[in-house]
Amino acid sequence: MEGTFFVATHSQGTRLDPWFDSYAERAHGMRSSEIRALFAVASRPEVVSLAGGMPNLSSLPMDHIAEISARLLKDRGTRALQYGSGQGEVEMREAILDVMRYDSISVHPDDIVVTTGSQQALDLVTEVFIDPGDVIVAEAPSYVGALGVFRAYQAEVVHTPMDEDGLIPEELEATLTRLEAAGKRVKLLYTVPNYHNPAGVTLSLERRPQIIDICRRHLVLILEDNPYGLLGFDSDPIPALKSFAPDGVVYLGSFSKMFGPGYRIGWAAAPHAVREKLVLASESAILCPSQLGQLSIVEYLNTWDWYGQVKQYRGEYRTRCEAMMSALEEYLPMCSWTKPDGGFYTWVTLPDGLDAKAMLPRAVKNLVAYVSGTAFYDDGQGSDHIRLSFCYPPPDTIREGVRRLSQVVSAELEMVELFGTNTHPERDRHPDHSGVDTPSPDQV
Amino acid sequence: MEGTFFVATHSQGTRLDPWFDSYAERAHGMRSSEIRALFAVASRPEVVSLAGGMPNLSSLPMDHIAEISARLLKDRGTRALQYGSGQGEVEMREAILDVMRYDSISVHPDDIVVTTGSQQALDLVTEVFIDPGDVIVAEAPSYVGALGVFRAYQAEVVHTPMDEDGLIPEELEATLTRLEAAGKRVKLLYTVPNYHNPAGVTLSLERRPQIIDICRRHLVLILEDNPYGLLGFDSDPIPALKSFAPDGVVYLGSFSKMFGPGYRIGWAAAPHAVREKLVLASESAILCPSQLGQLSIVEYLNTWDWYGQVKQYRGEYRTRCEAMMSALEEYLPMCSWTKPDGGFYTWVTLPDGLDAKAMLPRAVKNLVAYVSGTAFYDDGQGSDHIRLSFCYPPPDTIREGVRRLSQVVSAELEMVELFGTNTHPERDRHPDHSGVDTPSPDQV
């Protein structure tokens, strides 16, 4: 009977997808995520990937982690392999408070929801707040994985500009005022305040209370996404937005960058009533987060100098960032870029006339990968930018990747000079040319 | 600044929840899940919980699992703790095919999506197919956790009857015909064909092609949820619905009952185009499933006689089920119940005049917990039933739990005799009295 479930009378379905007519409206907008694509490219050994955001885990104390995992399973296996609380285990939530103290956040363990990575927290907050057509204000550019979630819930994303000190308060105020005047329902401000993905900048301490004040006046909930906060190269974190207004901010945290992503454990710290909704939504989505993952991370935090490991990471990423900065100076003087104080990424501005999306296939052919700036906008901007990550490859490989990239940029510039600056379409900053057709790196 | 984010001008928000006006429409319907509540009750040591569905993990080879986990982290730690593929690792998907062969299913590894427990697969399928108001046909009764997901996506659930051989084909045909005539858009048939939760019955082999044929004619996709399929007390599984019509069925599988829930690894096996949508939806929701969880389970399957462990489980659950059956015969002759051939549950019919929801507080006061039948319907049915689980407590405890329950039932019957059969509201089978206010066991 295999393959013959459908008879020809299925009115509008296609032979390729007999269920085409059955999809929900939201599913028709689902398309290949650039995040998945990055993994595919990064895994080809001959390509230097400056595209992905995989943390470098080589300095983790694997022998110790192996030992505490074995002990956990031997001593408490029937608990570690069982179902647990939908909100997350109490000892996990208490340990998370210890981590958030570095962000100057002080809340109750009851305000924490443990999730399958902070990505799930992002998904849950969007599920709880967004009806189709609601507006989310986000930085320009913004995290590609957040834009995907917002799209899945049919939100309208409006970008607001940043400079080297992060979100610009006056611009945010103007954006919110304009949206209100247009009768839009703005539900959330989504922001990555520390070592921004993809821009590499950090919201200054001075601006934080200003952003809080603007959102308070406009009754907009802040969604503060902080996976990189502990990874400043030379400093402890500055106070989180959450620390200024616990009731006005849902804070998302993650163990993926300060420890490792493999257990898929992240969290949200939310105002009480919001937290309740998030727990219900999470139970519906996954019943409960991994018990083994939570108890393993609690053991790691309790038996290892985890903040010492964070400092180790900082040194490694600083070295890699320095390698990228000096390679950019040497090989790509025709470009400009941000100078991060932490995190994984720098945001490169291409010379006039170059198109990041159009150039990507030629870059991959020259064995180097990046992410086109268009991935980080919901409105068609970004073709004049690329995101380079310095987190995963060792310094020499980063240098080689930037060298390969410079060959591609030079060849593109030659083409532009030969055929004029209009070989590429005019940069388009209007929403009618959306970024939806961004080719993902593994499609090239 | 703590606690003062909101000024009094926030028009309709309450002091208790300043964000009340910001929630999405779907969030206003979110309410306490009975699943979470079950964990809370089950964790009180003095209560005999016949409510929860926690598997009994005491016979798992913990020393061996500890050893393979330690080796995995030592030898491949930087992979196990890293991000992975959104669809799931190839070796995990191949191992899943080996498991599904016991259900007579033969598909390609590319048709599998690995998820955070099969609950996430349930969530993803619903996300991909259901617009608000679409109809899902489900058994009467149906799995409480599925009803919660369907509600979250604002589906309309219509129940169709079962007997001791599972779904009744003629009734399903009539239900679908009636819904079509009413202009309803029926998207899915949701079914738990083996050792049904909560009913304890199994869809007979003879009926399976009939169900397939009916759904094919009505162009309804089948969502086959099969967590208990390997846990028949005395037999290998009968062929899954998926084995009859690979293109017409999304099959959900889980390691939670045949191994353990702690890694939160389940899967969907879906028609190709549907699988693509599920991967995109999953990447948006969680980026990727736990790498550590997947690789650990692959190691377990490859290095242990896992089917021998399944047979061990079968014996344990058979013994527990026998203890429950004999206790029911001895203590509750005024009730009737289903006689399961596998799985975790029996479905008990109360004597006339008793109300399962109203009786629950008195049961918990008498130190025994169950789940009211009302939890398993979306339309107000079920107050004449309770679900009893025999999976977790040892046989003597099960016996003691049933004894305590019989005291409560007897006392209730006395009340009914004293004050007439109308001390409880008439059993209501109409949708206007929905199960939404079902008190969860930890609220009593």
Side-chain angles (χ1 to χ4, degrees), chain B residues 64-276:
Chain B
H64 177 72
I65 298 168
E67 193 194 305
I68 59 178
S69 299
R71 206 187 314 141
L72 171 65
L73 283 159
K74 274 183 190 157
D75 297 349
R76 292 180 286 157
T78 53
R79 184 173 168 219
L81 295 183
Q82 189 54 273
Y83 291 111
S85 146
Q87 184 175 0
E89 296 306 290
V90 173
E91 56 261 63
M92 178 80 270
R93 290 185 275 122
E94 281 168 352
I96 284 169
L97 297 197
D98 294 339
V99 174
M100 289 200 301
R101 281 205 191 94
Y102 288 93
D103 295 313
S104 309
I105 295 172
S106 165
V107 295
H108 192 272
D110 205 34
D111 297 333
I112 309 296
V113 187
V114 182
T115 53
T116 301
S118 65
Q119 185 75 19
Q120 194 210 350
L122 198 51
D123 186 73
L124 295 175
V125 172
T126 312
E127 178 184 354
V128 163
F129 282 98
I130 299 301
D131 289 313
D134 285 347
V135 174
I136 299 173
V137 172
E139 285 133 348
S142 186
Y143 166 51
V144 56
L147 296 179
V149 172
F150 301 157
R151 236 178 258 133
Y153 288 94
Q154 298 165 280
E156 182 187 334
V157 175
V158 174
H159 292 283
T160 189
M162 290 190 289
D163 60 19
E164 65 275 13
D165 288 324
L167 275 174
I168 303 167
E170 297 72 24
E171 297 277 359
L172 176 62
E173 175 81 54
T175 301
L176 293 176
T177 303
R178 179 171 56 77
L179 288 166
E180 275 169 13
K184 298 282 189 180
R185 203 173 174 206
V186 182
K187 291 280 188 74
L188 302 171
L189 169 67
Y190 172 72
T191 175
V192 181
N194 298 320
Y195 320 121
H196 189 271
N197 176 4
V201 301
T202 293
L203 180 65
S204 68
L205 180 58
E206 185 193 1
R207 284 183 182 178
R208 294 187 180 216
Q210 301 173 38
I211 300 296
I212 292 284
D213 182 60
I214 292 166
C215 287
R216 174 191 286 124
R217 282 188 286 99
H218 290 272
L219 302 171
V220 170
L221 181 64
I222 297 173
L223 182 50
E224 178 177 30
D225 193 0
N226 191 30
Y228 308 103
L230 291 177
L231 297 180
F233 300 146
D234 299 300
S235 62
D236 291 335
I238 57 178
L241 290 164
K242 176 82 175 169
S243 73
F244 294 92
D247 279 356
V249 178
V250 176
Y251 171 102
L252 308 186
S254 172
F255 289 106
S256 294
K257 277 80 181 187
M258 55 158 280
F259 175 51
Y263 291 113
R264 305 306 296 121
I265 300 290
W267 71 89
H272 190 78
V274 175
R275 186 276 294 161
E276 246 172 32

Side-chain angles (χ1 to χ4, degrees), chain A residues 6 28 134 227 296 331 343:
Chain A
F6 280 92
H28 289 288
D134 284 348
S296 298
Y331 293 120

Side-chain angles (χ1 to χ4, degrees), chain A residues 378-381 427-435:
Chain A
D378 209 47
D379 62 0
Q381 297 183 64
R427 309 273 161 65
D428 191 341
R429 294 183 175 273
H430 303 291
D432 52 342
H433 285 72
S434 82

Side-chain angles (χ1 to χ4, degrees), chain A residues 360-379:
Chain A
L360 185 56
R362 297 185 276 273
V364 172
K365 198 168 167 232
N366 205 39
L367 304 181
V368 59
Y370 59 80
V371 184
S372 164
T374 48
F376 304 98
Y377 293 90
D378 209 47
D379 62 0

